[in-house]
Amino acid sequence: MNQFLTLLVCLIGMPIAGFLVYRLLERLMKHIDVKEEEKKKLAELNQLGECSHCGRLSRIYQRELARCSLLLSERPEGSPSLPCPHCKQEADYFPVPAALPFYDTHPDCLPLQKSEYAEYYKEKEQWAQLLYLSKPARPLMKEEGEA
């Protein structure tokens, strides 16, 4: 009887344990991938650029939020470039090649922290909902047969 229980544990218990370990490792790897993706997005949002109009520094997340506020206030049909958060004009941005130590503490271009990342996306979604709700409804197009 003892050999039968050992055989039963080996035949049933080992595959179940292997499956559980596999699922645990899969979740752990997915969690690590999400964290790495979040770090990449955060680094992308924190890229510095110098405005061609006013010459002030800003980061991509600041320009995106400025674009949302401009779209809500002026409601242009669509602007391809991001406006400067300081002078509110659409401009070209020159990348800043070397990050100096004061860039991380300068009030014009504070970097987005990891703790503020979720709050930034929440705010961006709220802007998108406001923009959607502020658009006027388009009239329905009449079919060719109707006059």
Side-chain angles (χ1 to χ4, degrees):
M1 185 72 174
N2 198 11
Q3 291 177 345
F4 178 71
L5 289 176
T6 306
L7 183 64
L8 190 63
V9 166
C10 288
L11 289 176
I12 295 174
M14 295 294 270
I16 291 174
F19 177 75
L20 292 176
V21 168
Y22 170 76
R23 294 291 295 166
L24 178 70
L25 288 175
E26 184 181 33
R27 284 187 179 186
L28 180 66
M29 293 304 290
K30 194 178 290 185
H31 181 71
I32 290 172
D33 288 344
V34 166
K35 291 291 184 184
E36 286 298 317
E37 185 178 323
E38 199 172 277
K39 284 181 185 178
K40 286 179 187 176
K41 286 182 182 178
L42 194 60
E44 182 182 317
L45 289 172
N46 280 330
Q47 289 179 355
L48 274 172
E50 183 179 354
C51 178
S52 61
H53 285 282
C54 64
R56 293 173 75 178
L57 297 174
S58 62
R59 298 190 186 266
I60 291 179
Y61 81 92
Q62 292 172 316
R63 292 179 229 142
E64 286 180 356
L65 290 177
R67 181 173 187 258
C68 289
S69 66
L70 242 112
L71 285 174
L72 192 61
S73 64
E74 296 177 4
R75 295 189 186 112
E77 287 303 314
S79 55
S81 64
L82 297 172
C84 177
H86 307 293
C87 64
K88 307 291 188 221
Q89 294 183 9
E90 292 181 15
D92 294 327
Y93 296 94
F94 306 115
V96 178
L100 297 176
F102 80 91
Y103 289 162
D104 290 340
T105 57
H106 195 276
D108 278 354
C109 56
L110 288 173
L112 189 65
Q113 300 296 324
K114 189 176 181 180
S115 60
E116 301 165 334
Y117 180 73
E119 186 178 326
Y120 164 75
Y121 273 104
K122 193 177 201 180
E123 187 175 338
K124 198 171 172 186
E125 286 177 4
Q126 288 174 349
W127 280 107
Q129 286 177 349
L130 284 173
L131 286 171
Y132 178 75
L133 292 174
S134 68
K135 286 185 179 179
R138 292 185 183 176
L140 295 175
M141 296 188 62
K142 295 181 181 179
E143 292 184 22
E144 292 178 18
E146 296 179 14

